[in-house]
Every structure is written in structure tokens, then in C-alpha cells.
Amino acid sequence: MADAIQVVKNDETRQFEVTLDGQTAFAEFRMVDHGMILPHTVVPEAFEGKGVGSALAKAALGYARDHDLKVIPLCPFIAGYIKKHPEWNDVVHETYRAQLGIVG
């Protein structure tokens, strides 16, 4: 199902969003100089286990990569996602690499 999930970047709310059955899951973002802070992710219980959180993480991290931004993953979910998916290590801001166990 994760491939069919539509994630929308909403600049007004500063969130990457997925809406299903009238409910919205989101990953908040804040743009900073050459970077993006990801402070908080909310996935309603009804969405759990459907790949929505992963889709939000991939959308946010992919946006950062596509726009040459470095990510500051303050959100524990996003940080955990990056730890499990080292292919995203390159988008993590250097000051947060050690916290995620990223070497180099």
C-alpha cells in the first residue's frame, strides 16, 4: 500500500500530509538556511501499519535531497526511520549525524 500513498507538501501548514478517510497524517517541517528541521510527525491510529509514516519520511527526506537541503531530524520517528534506512544518511545535517550513529 505504501506505493499508492499520496503525500502532499503543504506550504501553508508547513507539513507533508497524507489524508485518508477524512483523517490526516503529517510530518511538520521548518525551513532554515540550507536545511529543513523535521520536528514532529503524527500518524493517526487508523493509519498505523499501512506505511503512512514511512511514506511521510520518504517524502520529506526526498524533498530535502532533491533541493540540496540538510535535515535536522528532531522528530524521534524520522530519526528512527533514518537509522533503519542508511540510504538517507547523506541528507542528515552534520551536527546530527553522531546522534544517529552515522560515521563519516
Side-chain angles (χ1 to χ4, degrees):
M1 177 176 175
D3 291 337
I5 296 170
Q6 292 288 91
V7 179
V8 176
K9 180 178 175 275
N10 185 332
D11 290 316
E12 190 173 307
T13 60
R14 293 185 298 201
Q15 298 174 346
F16 289 92
E17 301 173 340
V18 172
T19 302
L20 296 171
D21 300 325
Q23 294 188 58
T24 302
F26 60 88
E28 293 178 3
F29 66 88
R30 300 289 177 265
M31 304 308 284
V32 293
D33 191 30
H34 305 292
M36 183 169 58
I37 298 170
L38 298 170
H40 189 57
T41 302
V42 173
V43 177
E45 211 172 290
F47 293 8
E48 288 180 10
K50 296 182 179 178
V52 173
S54 293
L56 288 167
K58 283 187 220 175
L61 297 170
Y63 180 88
R65 181 178 282 155
D66 291 347
H67 293 86
D68 294 319
L69 301 170
K70 293 299 179 185
V71 171
I72 299 170
L74 300 180
C75 169
F77 176 81
I78 300 288
Y81 183 87
I82 294 167
K83 283 182 184 178
K84 291 179 195 165
H85 300 275
E87 65 269 22
W88 295 108
N89 287 356
D90 64 300
V91 300
V92 177
H93 192 279
E94 62 188 35
T95 58
Y96 283 81
R97 289 175 170 264
Q99 289 175 312
L100 300 180
I102 300 169
V103 179

